[in-house]
Amino acid sequence: MLTELEEVITYKSVQDDAERSAAIVNTWRKRLSGIQQDVGMWQKLLRLHSMVLRPILDLDTWIKYVNMCRKTGQMTIARNAIFQLLQDESNYLEELHGADIQKIPHKLLIQVHEYARLKAQMAQQQQQRQHSLDGRGLAYMAGKNDGGLESTSLDMAVRLSQHPALVYMYLKYKWAIGERRDAFQMIETFASDYSSKVGFDLQAPEAFADHIDARALESYNGHMGVADDSKTIHLLSRFYFKRAEWLVKIEQRHLLVQEARTKAGLGHKDELHSLRQSTRASTNARRSGRGSVSAGSGANGAIMASSSGVALAGDGGSQMDQDCEYLYKLKGDRIKETILESYHAATVLDRKWYKAWHSLALRHFFETQQYSEEHSSVTEDIIEKHVVPAVNGFFRAIQLSKSDTTLQDTLRLLTAWFNYSKYERVAQAVQDRFNTVSI
């Protein structure tokens, strides 16, 4: 800690020397990457660093810190760090807005103008629904809910953020604390916005793939705008991948709910009775300030009814279950298609990402197996729609894999090949791809 303090003092004294300042910051980052993943230690060091280095200018480090807090379940610390980042970004952009334009780098100037535009747009919307927002406006607020910060205030702040990585981090945090409906709807909105900025059409993803190589070449040759686009494209692949992952979890939870309902034998009248019970219990819990109380009914309390459907008790509480049921019904019959569409978008946006190819192939493989269980045989349509993409996806995943999951992908590929090699399209896909992987 004394060494860090000395470096902070040195950094303060050499702020006009960009090279020495950058060297000190680089030392801090290397040191953090080498120490244990301990939230308390990182918190102390980042507090020291923030005395001279704005958190928003050390965004990657702060994102790692927030993710560490989220993964270790320290959500209050994560929330406060997110608030600090968003507030610092806002203050920084406000300062730049009033500075000499000639001294602001072009990249930052674009962010300043976009921030000002979004803020004005939000202020206008705020005025239109002032009566329902309870006068909260655009301010960053410290709420009175358990000493934390209000979700509404953070949601509004993140919509002004000019950093997709910060937005992505916040949405993962929001999902982790159980605010799944808001997190999912926000990730769809941001994915759509960022897609428009880089020219990606979810309905015609392959058309975008033709431009990626040209963009990468221009980025390599030093075109700053294109380099920034490349970072956004990289993050956009993560947005779509996370969208697919969340939909899979929503689908799985819905199936568990349906299974539990079947075992419990709940009819419509039982659901209404359980709904009244759970609503009454939730109301009493809010009044007593004890938080959410699960009111079980049937099957040893495994099931509870909610306004948006029956939900599993425990494992996250009733609100999370209600959100999952709401989102499942929102997507309806298109949920399977949306999952595949999102995984495919992730592979187009980042063609060298093993995890995206593996997940896409695995999903197609799952859909094929599910259809085979429900029917005596697969149709040509299923072969074209799922089996061939699964074969191509597994080959690509094996080609990109650097871990021990290659064996699992290989076994699934062999299963698809042996089961469906009689179909010409499958045999041809295997033959075309054989030379792309090392045996």
Side-chain angles (χ1 to χ4, degrees), residues 127-164:
Q127 290 176 354
Q128 294 172 357
R129 59 174 187 269
Q130 189 69 34
H131 62 283
S132 64
L133 288 179
D134 199 24
R136 281 176 289 203
L138 290 170
Y140 299 100
M141 297 165 54
K144 296 182 180 179
N145 183 16
D146 297 329
L149 306 166
E150 292 191 359
S151 293
T152 305
S153 131
L154 285 178
D155 287 353
M156 295 171 73
V158 84
R159 287 185 172 90
L160 296 174
S161 178
Q162 300 303 302
H163 297 278

Side-chain angles (χ1 to χ4, degrees), residues 397-408:
I398 292 167
Q399 183 184 6
L400 294 171
S401 178
K402 296 178 181 178
S403 64
D404 55 4
T405 54
T406 303
L407 178 60
Q408 298 174 15

Side-chain angles (χ1 to χ4, degrees), residues 50 89 114 141 160 200 243 301 424 435:
S50 62
E89 181 187 14
E114 180 64 12
M141 297 165 54
L160 296 174
F200 176 73
R243 178 197 191 209
E424 184 180 350
N435 294 329

